[in-house]
Amino acid sequence: MAAIDEPRRKAVNNHIVRSRSSIRPLTGVRGKGGRPGAIFLPNRTQKGRIISMHLRKSFRAAAAALVLVTAFTPASAPAQFGALRDVAGRLGGELGVGKILKGKGPITTALPDAKWGDPSKDGFVPREAKRGLAELQRTPNGGFVLQPGYWAMAAQSYCLHAGTHGPGGGEGYLYAPPEGSARDAVMTIVRNSVNHPDIDQHDIQALLWAILSRAKFEDLGNNLKTVAARLLTPRQLASLNRSALDILSGPALQNAIGGVPEPLRTIMEAEADLRRMLTTPGTTFAELERAAVLAGMAPIGPGSLDIPEGRWSHHPDGYWIRYLPRGYSETMIEIWVPQGSPGVGKEFDPATHIAVPGNTSRQRLLQSGRPRRES
């Protein structure tokens, strides 16, 4: 870093010399012996602070350059995460818990965003014979070019709301688009996963939980680092690492979430458990799942709506869609495209679809273009 630091130091020193001539005395300030005096800035301490500020900018520039020129490949992913960790360390650490938690969440999509439910279609079954979505032309995003008819696919889906209950029978789900600070990263993971069928669904889910819980990507196991490197861009990886939270437990965790009401408190505790487990060697997927997916009978969450199972949503692109979950990891997607409707020829991109439950205590489900794998 010497090639970057030395010019910065010279620039700071020149700035300090020029500044001395323009500083005026401040009235009401006492010098040595109580005599009126002027404050001539910067003193030694303040000069050090200015130098530190400029050095931090230099390190940030170096980190950005590293992100732009680094090509993440599966074989080199762990070493390159190490390089990101070194730069992050020189920058002075990650953001504080309070500052991040007050910002926009990774995925904020919620029931008020599901505005396209169509009660007029309750109980409706298209007259056309049901056909598989796999018969349609695929798009580079892993989506499908829609044609008139009644289409369906048993798709892999993903939990986007740790600390809540899985799907339950008799309850409906509505369409809403992904929103939040990690929206692009989450959609990129699901889109790219279509072209990497060898990546296990559990690894993709664990990666999504790492994003939702704001885990430090530099501290993930090598397997998840490799998966992240295959599915995300270097810029996205660096951005996610900057928004990570430190691992909190015990009194520190209670202080951080003190006063937070239920059910948000349960969700934050689940995310804290995920952060800890995702960076602990030997953690199994079953352990992650127990922390993220609550067991037992789901209560009716605050702000819930009575949405019947199988309710259609009228997508803005002009087709109807409904979601029939079979657990959080699999959803039967059904789409109806009427002849001559605006939906004909439009792309159905599952990565832009979150199935939002009418019961807010249940999980939001991100859809994917990957079909369910037969066991």
Side-chain angles (χ1 to χ4, degrees):
M1 300 295 289
I4 296 177
D5 297 348
E6 188 58 31
R8 288 287 186 183
R9 289 192 180 94
K10 289 181 179 179
V12 174
N13 288 332
N14 291 337
H15 170 74
I16 292 170
V17 171
R18 290 196 302 270
S19 298
R20 285 184 184 276
S21 62
S22 62
I23 296 177
R24 298 178 180 178
L26 298 180
T27 58
V29 179
R30 297 290 172 178
K32 291 184 178 180
R35 297 188 300 274
I39 298 179
F40 292 101
L41 296 177
N43 60 29
R44 181 176 299 175
T45 300
Q46 291 158 336
K47 177 178 176 180
R49 290 175 179 170
I50 295 175
I51 291 174
S52 175
M53 177 185 69
H54 282 273
L55 290 179
R56 287 171 63 84
K57 290 182 178 178
S58 296
F59 286 132
R60 289 192 182 98
L66 174 65
V67 170
L68 292 175
V69 303
T70 301
F72 277 78
T73 61
S76 60
Q80 290 161 354
F81 272 96
L84 286 173
R85 179 181 61 250
D86 294 341
V87 172
R90 289 195 293 269
L91 290 177
E94 283 68 28
L95 296 172
V97 172
K99 186 174 182 180
I100 291 179
L101 291 182
K102 290 178 182 177
K104 196 172 186 180
I107 293 295
T108 59
T109 301
L111 188 55
D113 302 306
K115 307 171 184 177
W116 293 273
D118 186 359
S120 71
K121 288 288 190 291
D122 286 352
F124 169 73
V125 178
R127 289 178 294 179
E128 298 91 336
K130 188 185 300 184
R131 300 166 64 187
L133 270 175
E135 298 179 29
L136 295 173
Q137 177 187 341
R138 299 301 296 260
T139 69
N141 283 333
F144 304 85
V145 179
L146 294 176
Q147 298 299 325
Y150 181 20
W151 308 94
M153 181 176 75
Q156 294 182 10
S157 54
Y158 298 93
C159 163
L160 285 185
H161 205 179
T164 54
H165 293 262
E171 297 180 350
Y173 285 71
L174 303 176
Y175 159 77
E179 297 293 345
S181 62
R183 170 183 179 272
D184 290 342
V186 165
M187 291 193 303
T188 297
I189 287 172
V190 174
R191 285 170 172 165
N192 288 341
S193 72
V194 176
N195 296 322
H196 295 284
D198 57 301
I199 297 179
D200 191 81
Q201 184 180 6
H202 287 175
D203 291 334
I204 297 171
Q205 179 64 80
L207 184 59
L208 292 171
W209 279 333
I211 292 175
L212 295 174
S213 64
R214 300 180 178 94
K216 289 187 178 180
F217 273 55
E218 62 191 35
D219 294 337
L220 298 177
N222 285 344
N223 179 56
L224 272 188
K225 287 180 182 177
T226 300
V227 171
R230 295 178 67 188
L231 299 179
L232 291 166
T233 68
R235 184 185 294 273
Q236 288 170 330
L237 288 167
S239 175
L240 291 170
N241 206 54
R242 285 197 300 270
S243 64
L245 292 175
D246 288 321
I247 297 174
L248 298 177
S249 61
L253 175 62
Q254 297 308 314
N255 289 337
I257 63 176
V260 176
E262 295 291 356
L264 293 179
R265 184 182 184 89
T266 297
I267 293 170
M268 294 178 70
E269 288 174 343
E271 291 177 351
D273 288 339
L274 287 172
R275 273 195 300 278
R276 173 181 53 80
M277 291 190 289
L278 283 161
T279 55
T280 300
T283 299
T284 66
F285 182 81
E287 291 171 326
L288 295 174
E289 194 173 48
R290 281 195 292 272
V293 184
L294 299 185
M297 185 69 69
I300 301 300
S304 294
L305 296 176
D306 185 14
I307 307 296
E309 184 176 20
R311 172 163 289 178
W312 295 89
S313 292
H314 191 188
H315 193 276
D317 283 345
Y319 58 88
W320 277 261
I321 185 168
R322 63 179 174 182
Y323 315 93
L324 304 169
R326 301 170 177 173
Y328 76 86
S329 61
E330 179 188 336
T331 300
M332 175 60 71
I333 299 172
E334 295 189 354
I335 296 176
W336 179 52
V337 186
Q339 186 74 40
S341 71
V344 177
K346 295 292 180 62
E347 179 187 17
F348 164 54
D349 179 2
T352 64
H353 285 244
I354 294 180
V356 179
N359 184 353
T360 60
S361 69
R362 296 198 184 276
Q363 294 171 351
R364 303 168 297 198
L365 305 176
L366 177 66
Q367 303 304 303
S368 82
R370 297 198 344 167
R372 176 200 63 185
R373 285 190 175 181
E374 299 294 339
S375 56

